[in-house]
Amino acid sequence: MQADLIIVGAGMVGSTLALALERCGLKIVVVDAGPLEVRPYDGQAAFEPRVSALSAASQRILQRVGAWPGIAARRASPYIDMQVWDGSGTGQIHFSAEAVHAEVLGHIVENRVVQDALLETLQARGAVELIAAARLERLHRSDEGWLLSLTDGQELRTPLLVAADGAHSAVRRLAGCETREWDYLHQAIVTSVRCAEPHQRTAWQRFTDDGPLAFLPLERDGDRHWCSIVWSVTEDQARRLMALDDQAFRAALGRAFEQRLGEVLEVDPRLCIPLRQRHAKRYVQPGLALIGDAAHTIHPLAGQGVNLGLLDAAVLAEVLEAALARGERLADLRVLSRFERRRMPHNLAMMAAMEGFERLFQADPLLLRWLRNVGLKTVQSLPEAKALFVRQALGLSGDLPELARA
Ligand SMILES: Cc1cc2nc3c(=O)[nH]c(=O)nc-3n(C[C@H](O)[C@H](O)[C@H](O)COP(=O)(O)OP(=O)(O)OC[C@H]3O[C@@H](n4cnc5c(N)ncnc54)[C@H](O)[C@@H]3O)c2cc1C
C-alpha cells in the first residue's frame, strides 16, 4: 500500500496529528501495535493508573481536533489550585487559576480516556486509514521514500514517515536517530487512592528527600476524595514500597504526604515505572519527523510529557499544511526543519527546567536546601513571578500553533 504520510503510533500524540491533518487532502495511514478498540465507557469503573495533567493549550488542541467533547463526556477532573511545598523545609508555593483570571489550571484525565476519545473521533470521521494490531518490524529507505514491513506481513510505502511510537520508538531506532539519555535511578509508583478529606480540586506536590510526591485530584460522580498519585522514589525504595501490602503502603503514603488530605483509606493496584530522560539529537531527517515521546521523554515531575507532545503534533500539522499550500515537497528536510526549529528549543527548555528542579530538590547539602526554601518563598511572595509560572503551566506562553490559540 502507498500513502502520502504514514504515522507509526496511534497514542495520544499520533492520533492528534492524524486528526489535525485529516482534511488536508493527503492519504494518511496510521499504524499501531495495539487493537485500536474504543472501550465501552463505564463511569463507575475504577480509575486507570496512568493519567495526564492536560494544560489549557492541550485542551484547546483536543477541542479543535474534535476529541474534547468525548473526553468531557467521559471523565475529566478540573483543578483550580496547586500547592507545592518542601517536605524538609518551610518553603511553599500556592498557584491558583483565579490569580491569572483563568477558570481552571488544567484537567487530570486518564490516558485511556484521551485515547478512546481520539480514536472514536478518528473512526467516526473515517478520513484516515487505521491499521491495528500490526507492529513496525523493518524499515528500508530508498530514493522514493520509506518501505515499512509490519508484523502482520503488510508492506507500506510512503515519502513521509512520522514516528509517534513512544519512548521506545522502533522508527527512531530503525532510522538510526541518535538520542541523549540518562537514568534518574528513580522509579515512579502510580496508582489511585481514596483519602479521608476532599481534594479541593487542588494538585498537591510535596518534595521529599527521595523525590517528588504528587496527589492529583480525580472526580467520579461528584466524589472528590480520589487522587491519582505519582510517587518518585529511589530504586531501592520502589522495591520496598511495591512489596508492602495495601495497608502498610497506605500508611507509608499518608506519612510521606504529611496526611494533608487525612488518612489514605483505599488504594488501587500499583504500577512502577522506571524514569528515564531521553531526547533525540535531531527531530527530523529527509522524509522523517519524530514527535511526542519518540522525540523526548521528560521527568513526570511537572506533568508536561503529553502536553509537549500535543504541541509537537499541532506544530507539525501547521508546518505541513503551510508547505502544502505553497506547493512544497513535504518530505524535504527544508520543510521538516521548520517543525524542529519551532519545537526543539521549547522542549529542551522544559526538560532543562525539570532537570534543574529535580536536582535541586534531591540535593542534600545545606546550601541547596536553603536555596530551595528561599526560592519557593521568594516566588510565593512575587505575584508577577507566580503568574509567569502559571502561564507556563497553562501552556499558553511562547510560540503557540494556531490549534492551541484561543
Ligand atoms: C509516571 C508518569 C506520569 C506522567 N504524567 C504526565 C502528566 O501528568 N502530564 C503529561 O503531559 N504527561 C505525563 N506523562 C508523560 C505521558 O504519559 C507521555 O508523554 C505520553 O503518554 C506520550 O504519548 P505518545 O503518544 O507520544 O506515546 P505513547 O503513549 O507511548 O504511544 C505510542 C503508541 O505507539 C504504539 N507503538 C509502539 N511501538 C510500535 C511499533 N513498533 N509499531 C506500531 N505501533 C507502535 C503503541 O502501541 C502506542 O499506541 C507521564 C509519564 C509517566 C511515566
Side-chain angles (χ1 to χ4, degrees):
M1 186 197 300
Q2 175 82 33
D4 299 317
L5 162 64
I6 295 179
I7 302 169
V8 179
M12 295 186 272
V13 174
S15 301
T16 298
L17 176 69
L19 280 170
L21 285 171
E22 65 167 1
R23 281 187 225 128
C24 69
L26 294 175
K27 176 171 166 114
I28 301 174
V29 173
V30 180
V31 180
D32 199 282
L36 300 185
E37 280 162 6
V38 179
R39 181 187 55 160
Y41 175 61
D42 172 6
Q44 298 305 313
F47 292 103
E48 295 283 332
R50 296 292 306 265
V51 306
S52 297
L54 296 178
S55 67
S58 292
Q59 183 182 352
R60 282 182 190 166
I61 294 171
L62 292 164
Q63 182 84 47
R64 297 284 285 276
V65 301
W68 189 259
I71 293 173
R74 290 175 168 89
R75 285 197 294 227
S77 312
Y79 64 100
I80 54 176
D81 274 301
M82 201 185 280
Q83 293 276 3
V84 180
W85 74 100
D86 181 357
S88 53
T90 52
Q92 58 169 318
I93 312 186
H94 169 230
F95 299 109
S96 74
E98 204 184 4
V100 288
H101 311 291
E103 267 177 42
V104 299
L105 288 176
H107 289 81
I108 309 299
V109 191
E110 293 148 273
N111 288 3
R112 186 63 204 257
V113 164
V114 183
Q115 191 70 67
D116 280 350
L118 283 162
L119 196 55
E120 185 176 72
T121 315
L122 273 171
Q123 287 173 349
R125 303 229 179 113
V128 168
E129 180 149 351
L130 299 173
I131 300 180
R135 184 173 282 281
L136 172 71
E137 202 172 28
R138 285 191 310 277
L139 192 59
H140 176 74
R141 186 203 282 272
S142 68
D143 288 346
E144 291 80 50
W146 300 96
L147 171 66
L148 288 77
S149 307
L150 309 184
T151 43
D152 66 354
Q154 289 193 71
E155 295 210 319
L156 314 175
R157 287 171 199 280
T158 185
L160 179 56
L161 179 60
V162 174
D165 50 348
H168 304 286
S169 171
V171 177
R172 189 184 64 215
R173 178 173 43 82
L174 295 170
C177 305
E178 285 184 65
T179 55
R180 282 192 195 93
E181 29 193 295
W182 57 99
D183 234 313
Y184 282 115
L185 303 175
H186 269 64
Q187 310 222 332
I189 299 179
V190 295
T191 185
S192 314
V193 297
R194 189 167 68 84
C195 301
E197 306 288 334
H199 51 55
Q200 305 148 49
R201 286 190 162 168
T202 298
W204 309 81
Q205 184 132 301
R206 176 182 188 243
F207 285 90
T208 71
D209 282 341
D210 299 307
L213 166 61
F215 271 55
L216 307 172
L218 295 171
E219 269 182 64
R220 187 163 61 197
D221 278 343
D223 177 4
R224 295 188 188 160
H225 289 79
W226 281 91
C227 289
S228 166
I229 65 138
V230 183
W231 193 358
S232 168
V233 289
T234 59
E235 287 168 341
D236 276 352
Q237 240 199 321
R239 256 190 302 278
R240 199 176 54 72
L241 289 168
M242 290 300 284
L244 295 179
D245 63 24
D246 280 0
Q247 192 184 358
F249 180 78
R250 285 191 284 108
L253 180 62
R255 277 195 304 276
F257 191 56
E258 299 172 4
Q259 319 281 10
R260 286 268 172 135
L261 296 176
E263 245 183 277
V264 178
L265 302 173
E266 263 183 77
V267 60
D268 281 344
R270 292 158 247 166
L271 269 187
C272 191
I273 304 167
L275 295 179
R276 199 170 170 76
Q277 181 137 299
R278 192 180 285 109
H279 194 254
K281 289 186 180 169
R282 295 288 316 258
Y283 293 176
V284 294
Q285 290 181 14
L288 174 67
L290 311 182
I291 60 174
D293 273 24
H296 43 77
T297 49
I298 171 172
H299 196 287
L301 172 62
Q304 286 300 327
V306 78
N307 292 313
L308 298 181
L310 294 179
L311 283 169
D312 290 350
V315 169
L316 181 58
E318 191 167 293
V319 164
L320 293 178
E321 279 190 302
L324 260 182
R326 283 198 286 265
E328 294 174 300
R329 244 188 105 246
L330 302 187
D332 276 357
L333 188 59
R334 207 163 48 89
V335 169
L336 297 173
S337 296
R338 294 173 197 149
F339 153 71
E340 184 183 71
R341 276 202 301 278
R342 282 179 66 183
R343 290 304 303 149
M344 196 179 261
H346 183 224
N347 292 335
L348 275 173
M350 181 63 80
M351 291 176 87
M354 286 312 106
E355 182 68 13
F357 220 37
E358 153 84 8
R359 282 179 199 275
L360 193 61
F361 277 96
Q362 295 265 309
D364 254 334
L366 219 55
L367 180 65
L368 280 175
R369 276 201 182 187
W370 174 81
L371 194 67
R372 74 194 186 200
N373 258 299
V374 171
L376 287 177
K377 283 181 188 155
T378 309
V379 175
Q380 171 66 12
S381 65
L382 294 174
E384 283 308 311
K386 264 175 42 172
L388 197 76
F389 269 99
V390 176
R391 274 193 286 276
Q392 198 75 39
L394 291 171
L396 297 180
S397 53
D399 171 19
L400 286 181
E402 186 59 38
L403 284 178
R405 291 195 203 135

